[in-house]
Amino acid sequence: MKKIALSILVIALLMGAGCSNKFSKSGKKEKEFVTGFLKLMDQENERQYTKMMNCISKKYIADNNIDVKQYKVDNYSIFGFEIISYDSRNGLIVTKVWGKEKSWIHQLTFKLSKESGKLYLVPMKHSDSYIKPWYEAKTYIKE
């Protein structure tokens, strides 16, 4: 009987630990995180590559052996943005970003990860010198 009780306790603890890595239903913190990242791309701001890099998944960086001192985070010089949707199951946030007078509009989907209780962006890919912070990009879309 003690073994069964102990097994149930271990399973309950493991399930509880797993829940801490889930995303919120409302998406408030997740949207605030992506909003903060998008503000780093605002055309009025000087490019803050270190702050942008701090938003990139530490797991992605480690898994891909990326030397963050040798890379920059790809970005657009945006004049505005809007959050379109949030998917709590997959940690996806769809946004629209645009240039001056909306001369161009891109739809960027950001994929979030939670690592040690902290939110990060999971990049689409990286090149020899840049990391694409978004998970999917549809460029030059119609409004």
Side-chain angles (χ1 to χ4, degrees), residues 40 55 58 102 128 143:
L40 294 173
C55 294
K58 304 304 179 203
K102 292 193 175 180
D128 291 339
E143 182 150 38

Side-chain angles (χ1 to χ4, degrees), residues 92-138:
L92 297 174
I93 296 183
V94 179
T95 67
K96 280 185 185 176
V97 299
W98 53 83
K100 189 174 185 179
E101 298 176 1
K102 292 193 175 180
S103 57
W104 54 263
I105 301 172
H106 301 328
Q107 181 177 300
L108 303 178
T109 300
F110 292 93
K111 181 171 180 67
L112 300 173
S113 70
K114 229 178 194 184
E115 301 167 20
S116 301
K118 212 173 161 199
L119 291 170
Y120 293 98
L121 299 175
V122 178
M124 175 197 315
K125 61 183 178 180
H126 62 279
S127 66
D128 291 339
S129 56
Y130 279 92
I131 297 174
K132 300 244 185 241
W134 41 84
Y135 197 70
E136 180 182 14
K138 295 179 182 173

Side-chain angles (χ1 to χ4, degrees), residues 33 37 40 48-58 61 68 73 118-121:
F33 177 74
F37 182 80
L40 294 173
Q48 300 176 41
Y49 291 110
T50 302
K51 287 184 179 180
M52 289 180 177
M53 188 64 76
N54 289 337
C55 294
I56 303 299
S57 164
K58 304 304 179 203
I61 290 169
V68 296
V73 177
K118 212 173 161 199
L119 291 170
Y120 293 98
L121 299 175

Side-chain angles (χ1 to χ4, degrees), residues 29-55:
K29 287 184 180 180
E30 292 84 351
K31 290 175 188 175
E32 286 174 356
F33 177 74
V34 170
T35 294
F37 182 80
L38 290 171
K39 286 181 179 178
L40 294 173
M41 294 192 334
D42 188 287
Q43 57 84 27
E44 290 185 358
N45 295 328
E46 186 176 320
R47 291 296 160 255
Q48 300 176 41
Y49 291 110
T50 302
K51 287 184 179 180
M52 289 180 177
M53 188 64 76
N54 289 337
C55 294

